[in-house]
Amino acid sequence: RFFSFAAPVFTTPGPARGALLAEVDVYRFDQNWPTSPAAVFFTNAAGRIIVSNRAELTMLKRSLPDFLGHSRQSRAGHDIWTLSAGPYLPARALHLSRALPVIGVTAEILADTAPARQIATLQAAVAGAFALVFGAFGLFAAERRRALADANARLEARVAERTRELVTANRDLTREIGERREAEEALKQAQADLVQAGKLSALGQMSAGLSHELNQPLMAIRSFADNAGKYLDRGKLDQARGNLGHISDLARRMGRIIQNLRAFVRNEKEPVARVDLVQVIDSAVELTGARLKAEAVTLDWQPPAEPVAVLGGEVRLTQVFVNLINNAADAMAGQPQDRRVTITIEPGARPQVVIRDTGPGIADPDRIFEPFYTTKAVGSGSAAGGEDGMGLGLSISYGLVQSFGGDIRGTNAPGRGAIFSVVLEPWKNREQAA
Ligand SMILES: Nc1ncnc2c1ncn2[C@@H]1O[C@H](COP(=O)(O)OP(=O)(O)OP(=O)(O)O)[C@@H](O)[C@H]1O
Ligand SMILES: [Mg+2]
């Protein structure tokens, strides 16, 4: 393809001398056009495309409305053409143009919008992805908030439920404590009743001896009184006075026995206090003395000169030793001879009373402190040889000694007989501690 440019050459005064013709081979120019994704073309003043890097455009009339079937629209100030011109021209292209008046042509270019769209799509995708990520974060945060709120609500519900349960448990506990207190009170009362019952049982055991002990001086008083009368009749005033003195002594002795009995039966409620062990054993010996004498039991009791102060209740401690002496007498009741009870006090850091007998010994030492454990006939009555037990004496004594902070033990002596020992808290220690 050639473009020819012709121009006449004139002489200065006259007509044309000739013509100058220049021919340009555009084909070679077309051939060497560097490949470019954009379609480039130059249009002359007549609107015809004279040079292009797309062969199909060359020599087309650019201004025709059906030029390559294009329609055009303006997008954000850009001239966008829509084409249907085969595979070598873009379907949508950005159209740019610039007039080149020096050579009388207009340079135009059709750049494919697809890459830009791709970039825009990519940017949109990236933005979308960001939005998605942020959205996801937002969603995650919202979900977390919702989960937290849910967990919180659940926790509050559980706390409320636990609180309700605790309140109920507390109420139950308070009621149980009340019931327990009542039970404790009832138990204390029952124990006190038992202690009283134990005393009555001991009294039953001692009653024969006691009535003998009271009867004997009474008989003596009677005969002393009778004789005193006779002495008075005969004017023997000294003898009469002597008899009256005997009567007075006997009455004092009876009074002491009755006083001891009353103290023994008294329901002692006093807290623990200073008690003289020697005095306590003296009272117990006095209470049981009549029985021992009646049953021909030798009592070996040498009270120490000094008092032994311990912690306890006088009446209750007396009851313990009365029980132990009665048990010893019971054990030896069927024995024809060698009936002996030995009582010793060992003062010291923890004063101890040891009561030893010469009976057959304890049959089952592990069980003797069990309530109602007895080897004696139950309810057979003291009339049947004085051996009659409820099995309460030792269990009551155990409770009493424990309540004074002491200890009671029963073992068999190496030879024969039983040994019971009662260890008590010394009163001195208590004073020092206070
Ligand atoms: N000195 C002892 N020698 C042998 N056995 C004893 C002696 N003291 C206690 N026992 C045994 O321990 C048992 C329980 O004694 P405990 O004083 O508790 O009850 P009891 O004497 O049988 O009845 P209660 O004292 O109620 O009248 C006795 O039945 C007896 O078997
Ligand atoms: Mg007993």
Side-chain angles (χ1 to χ4, degrees), residues 344-395:
T344 46
I345 291 188
E346 294 165 19
R350 295 198 85 204
Q352 186 174 202
V353 180
V354 179
I355 298 177
R356 185 177 181 152
D357 63 59
T358 50
I362 304 163
D364 189 352
D366 289 340
R367 296 196 58 199
I368 49 175
F369 294 107
E370 280 176 24
F372 304 111
Y373 169 75
T374 183
T375 53
K376 300 161 195 172
V378 179
S380 60
S382 52
E387 263 207 87
D388 157 39
M390 297 231 314
L392 286 177
L394 283 182
S395 64

Side-chain angles (χ1 to χ4, degrees), residues 204-282:
Q205 283 163 329
M206 299 182 294
S207 61
L210 273 172
S211 61
H212 175 77
E213 188 75 348
L214 290 173
N215 251 332
Q216 230 182 11
L218 257 184
M219 299 295 283
I221 284 171
R222 220 174 111 186
S223 51
F224 276 128
D226 288 351
N227 288 345
K230 283 172 193 155
Y231 285 138
L232 282 177
D233 290 346
R234 291 179 207 164
K236 291 182 173 173
L237 291 183
D238 279 353
Q239 274 95 332
R241 189 172 289 114
N243 273 18
L244 288 176
H246 287 311
I247 289 172
S248 172
D249 284 349
L250 288 168
R252 199 172 300 122
R253 180 170 155 65
M254 288 173 75
R256 219 172 55 225
I257 291 172
I258 290 167
Q259 198 184 335
N260 265 327
L261 263 180
R262 275 172 57 187
F264 179 70
V265 177
R266 196 175 73 219
N267 203 347
E268 190 182 49
K269 288 219 165 68
E270 272 78 64
V272 288
R274 180 194 185 278
V275 175
D276 178 14
L277 253 188
V278 181
Q279 236 172 40
V280 164
I281 300 209
D282 272 339

Side-chain angles (χ1 to χ4, degrees), residues 93-345:
L94 170 71
H95 172 250
L96 301 168
S97 66
R98 166 163 293 189
L100 303 168
V102 179
I103 53 169
V105 293
T106 304
E108 293 177 74
I109 187 164
L110 286 171
D112 196 348
T113 58
R117 267 212 317 276
Q118 245 167 25
I119 287 172
T121 309
L122 203 68
Q123 278 175 346
V126 167
F130 268 112
L132 215 67
V133 167
F134 280 119
F137 265 118
L139 211 69
F140 178 66
E143 184 58 31
R144 262 189 76 92
R145 263 202 306 280
R146 204 179 53 76
L148 261 175
D150 270 8
N152 225 22
R154 272 203 305 277
L155 201 70
E156 268 169 25
R158 280 194 57 186
V159 165
E161 193 186 331
R162 288 289 296 155
T163 308
R164 263 198 311 280
E165 282 172 12
L166 273 176
V167 166
T168 315
N170 215 29
R171 210 177 299 131
D172 289 354
L173 265 178
T174 312
R175 205 192 53 240
E176 257 172 46
I177 287 169
E179 283 170 3
R180 194 144 299 175
R181 273 213 192 106
E182 278 169 28
E184 251 167 43
E185 280 305 310
L187 189 69
K188 262 193 201 146
Q189 188 53 50
Q191 274 170 342
D193 291 351
L194 266 182
V195 167
Q196 282 308 100
K199 285 179 188 171
L200 292 180
S201 151
L203 272 182
Q205 283 163 329
M206 299 182 294
S207 61
L210 273 172
S211 61
H212 175 77
E213 188 75 348
L214 290 173
N215 251 332
Q216 230 182 11
L218 257 184
M219 299 295 283
I221 284 171
R222 220 174 111 186
S223 51
F224 276 128
D226 288 351
N227 288 345
K230 283 172 193 155
Y231 285 138
L232 282 177
D233 290 346
R234 291 179 207 164
K236 291 182 173 173
L237 291 183
D238 279 353
Q239 274 95 332
R241 189 172 289 114
N243 273 18
L244 288 176
H246 287 311
I247 289 172
S248 172
D249 284 349
L250 288 168
R252 199 172 300 122
R253 180 170 155 65
M254 288 173 75
R256 219 172 55 225
I257 291 172
I258 290 167
Q259 198 184 335
N260 265 327
L261 263 180
R262 275 172 57 187
F264 179 70
V265 177
R266 196 175 73 219
N267 203 347
E268 190 182 49
K269 288 219 165 68
E270 272 78 64
V272 288
R274 180 194 185 278
V275 175
D276 178 14
L277 253 188
V278 181
Q279 236 172 40
V280 164
I281 300 209
D282 272 339
S283 313
V285 162
E286 186 143 344
L287 280 165
T288 50
R291 176 185 178 191
L292 297 184
K293 210 155 78 187
E295 295 177 15
V297 176
T298 312
L299 177 69
D300 190 354
W301 161 234
Q302 259 90 47
E306 296 289 310
V308 178
V310 294
L311 208 59
E314 194 168 351
V315 178
R316 287 168 286 179
L317 259 189
T318 307
Q319 186 182 355
V320 169
F321 294 113
V322 164
N323 279 335
L324 293 177
I325 296 169
N326 274 329
N327 276 351
D330 284 347
M332 298 181 291
Q335 212 165 283
Q337 58 194 21
D338 190 21
R339 295 191 285 268
R340 177 185 292 271
V341 176
T342 311
I343 305 175
T344 46
I345 291 188

